[in-house]
Amino acid sequence: MLNFNFQNPTKINFGEGQIKVISKEIPLDARVLLVYGGGSIKGNGVYKQVIDALSEHTLFEFSGIEPNPTYDTLMKAQEIIKAENIDYLLAVGGGSVVDGAKFIAAAALYEGNSEDSDVVSDPWDILAKQQAVTKALPIGAVLTLPATGSESNGNSVVTRDGNKLPFASPLVRPLFAVLDPTVTLSLSDRQISNGVVDAFIHTIEQYLTYSVNGKVQDRFSEGLLQTLIEEGPKALAPDTKENLEVRANIMWSATMALNGLIGAGVPQDWSTHMIGHELTGAFGIDHARTLSIVLPAVMKVRKEQKREKLLQYATRVWQITEGDDNTRIDQAIRLTEEFFETMQVPTRLSHVDLASKDIDLLIERLEQHGMTALGEHDDITLDISREILTQAL
């Protein structure tokens, strides 16, 4: 096992009716900016619960954060922050809203790194130049769509002019998060599918690499994968989609998939995500659906490099014990694709109307964004990324 440091200070308030606890989690004298998306929280009762809980707080609102939040939208929140002296953010929504709140929090206190006082600092440098975040406003989160794990990590992804870029800082990790599975009952099938697949592939990116004898991390990861395989389809099936226990297990799996625990002390891949980001940035495809397209191709192209873990994945997650090594690996990949199909997401570029002619643009974007040495060995070059995308056709 690799050396690691692990700390997750996000306080999780899990269960039905927990939204009310935000009244105690946020200081009474805080000037709070409530940030959310397109307004679905007003239709499912979440907004009212939040407003009631914060009835004694000084509260302002900023809405309109998109799926795959954009820089231009998020920067509009800075006007309210400055005008109203906002000192606390509450993100209410899915991963995109929480990601957006993280960038808003960092941008609000960003001073840049130029010694020239006449140079206007651009918070986009946090992403484009990976400038360090040294200060950020505190954040709380009320999660409505389990998927990204953003409610208890310091990661964020923001899009500008077709460029979808990540940044990370412990300073933007939410101080607390509310996870009430009942609020997920209003999600569409597409949102459910995306969330389950996103959590599944977050887990895979930290698991399907090479062994460092991290038995605890592997077993945790395998348990998450099996839970998502078991519960994901139930959330789409008419006779079980209202089952609160199903939703609770999915919600907790998504959080545990990316709160730092299963990735501590083990190598991580993330090539599927980096290639997927370019599909979203260039063509606007849902994040999770880019991942379901890319991952099977990564498994196939990197079969030799991931052989030991692929065999372990086949045995422990899919209970495949018969046949030679290649047969078992191929069957595990096939069952992964079938799981994605059951979750109603695409597994080929052709499923989203893309063809070989579109690959050049994706490779150009990867090069532009410095994604030229991906994977757990930093050896997925642009040529190999092209091979992966070609395999995904």
Coordinates of all heavy atoms in Angstrom, one line a residue, residues 90 168 333:
L90 N -24.4 28.3 0.5 CA -25.1 27.0 0.7 C -25.5 26.5 -0.7 O -26.4 27.2 -1.4 CB -26.4 27.2 1.5 CG -27.2 25.9 1.7 CD1 -26.4 24.9 2.5 CD2 -28.5 26.2 2.4
A168 N -8.9 21.5 -7.7 CA -9.1 20.8 -6.4 C -8.4 21.6 -5.3 O -7.3 22.1 -5.5 CB -8.6 19.4 -6.4
I333 N -15.8 -7.3 -19.0 CA -16.0 -6.0 -19.8 C -17.4 -6.0 -20.4 O -18.1 -5.0 -20.4 CB -14.9 -5.9 -20.8 CG1 -13.5 -5.7 -20.2 CG2 -15.2 -4.6 -21.7 CD1 -12.4 -5.7 -21.2

